[in-house]
Amino acid sequence: GAFYSFMLALGSAGVVRAMGEYSKGMQCATRLYKLIDGNSDGQQEPTEKKADDKNSPDVNTDAIQKLSIEKVNFSYKADPSKIILQDLSFSLSRGEVVALVGKNGSGKSTTTSILAGMYPPQSGEVSLYDTDDSDSTDPVNYLRNLERKDQVNLIQMVPQAPALFDMTVLDNVRYSRPDASEEDVQTAMNSANCKFVSNLEGGLNYQVGRNGIRLSGGQRQRIGLARAFLANPVFLVLDEPSSAMDAEGTASLKDTME
């Protein structure tokens, strides 16, 4: 009797775990579809005009010189009482290298998600300026006045675990710029130290599998970097991009960034 009770407990635990994974998957899918539809995570409805309104400013992302986070407050819908970011302010200028340092859980990855346009803050602004002097020009609201394609051109984020699709290496890198030539893709991959691709069966046509399961963690990170480099954004945000790389890969990334 004890044996059957033990087996029943194991089975029940598996069902509970599966339901938890299903719930998280549905939440992620909901956020993804809302992002695609232009309403990031539905956390708040923008009060200003959207980028597709006729009165929205015409923004030339190539002319942007400065991005400013201004008094941002943020908490996740799952636990609104837990403040992740409180009165956060800092600025990034074109050509500048900035490191955001903090303990685990201090909100670094959340900040990068806000920069990528995935989450709108509860309060505060993300502003764009066409000069380093914030007082000499009117800012453009990054989250509300830019279309999604312009946000992508302005900022590319490389997370710790880049999302890869069950496609070829070439198609995964091209995801950020579908019209890129194979030569441009190869240049971006060289910058990201993707020499390992030449040893794969089929090279650029190698199928990486679902979420890149046929590649190592370091290889997936390098593909993610190549994808970001190919987009040639104004601002490149890296969220611990070398966490799965060996010493050689980390040194190569440092040289590439310099």
Side-chain angles (χ1 to χ4, degrees), residues 172-237:
N172 269 285
V173 176
R174 260 189 187 150
Y175 187 76
S176 63
R177 219 180 91 201
D179 61 344
S181 67
E182 191 167 320
E183 182 180 358
D184 288 341
V185 171
Q186 194 62 63
T187 299
M189 293 180 67
N190 290 340
S191 297
N193 192 24
C194 293
K195 299 175 183 177
F196 69 89
V197 173
S198 61
N199 296 323
L200 300 175
E201 184 179 354
L204 286 173
N205 293 316
Y206 182 76
Q207 293 281 338
V208 304
R210 184 178 180 183
N211 204 29
I213 195 171
R214 299 181 68 191
L215 300 175
S216 70
Q219 290 172 338
R220 290 195 291 271
Q221 284 193 322
R222 294 177 192 187
I223 294 294
L225 283 167
R227 178 191 291 165
F229 291 157
L230 182 65
N232 194 27
V234 176
F235 297 101
L236 180 62
V237 182

Side-chain angles (χ1 to χ4, degrees), residues 76-175:
Y76 288 101
K77 287 181 67 178
D79 188 2
S81 63
K82 183 178 181 181
I83 306 300
I84 306 298
L85 302 175
Q86 186 170 18
D87 200 25
L88 176 67
S89 298
F90 66 90
S91 62
L92 305 172
S93 294
R94 193 170 190 141
E96 186 179 24
V97 177
V98 175
L100 185 62
V101 183
K103 297 179 181 179
N104 288 340
S106 60
K108 301 187 300 296
S109 293
T110 299
T111 302
T112 62
S113 295
I114 290 175
L115 284 172
M118 297 176 66
Y119 295 118
Q122 272 73 34
S123 62
E125 304 291 348
V126 181
S127 301
L128 305 174
Y129 301 88
D130 57 12
T131 174
D132 279 332
D133 185 3
S134 304
D135 297 327
S136 66
T137 183
D138 292 330
V140 173
N141 189 292
Y142 166 70
L143 294 174
R144 294 196 275 263
N145 293 140
L146 253 66
E147 295 182 359
R148 185 61 191 158
K149 63 180 180 63
D150 291 326
Q151 289 181 344
V152 171
N153 290 336
L154 186 70
I155 297 176
Q156 280 284 315
M157 183 183 78
V158 181
Q160 297 179 44
L164 298 186
F165 307 100
D166 191 5
M167 303 186 296
T168 65
V169 170
L170 177 62
D171 289 335
N172 269 285
V173 176
R174 260 189 187 150
Y175 187 76

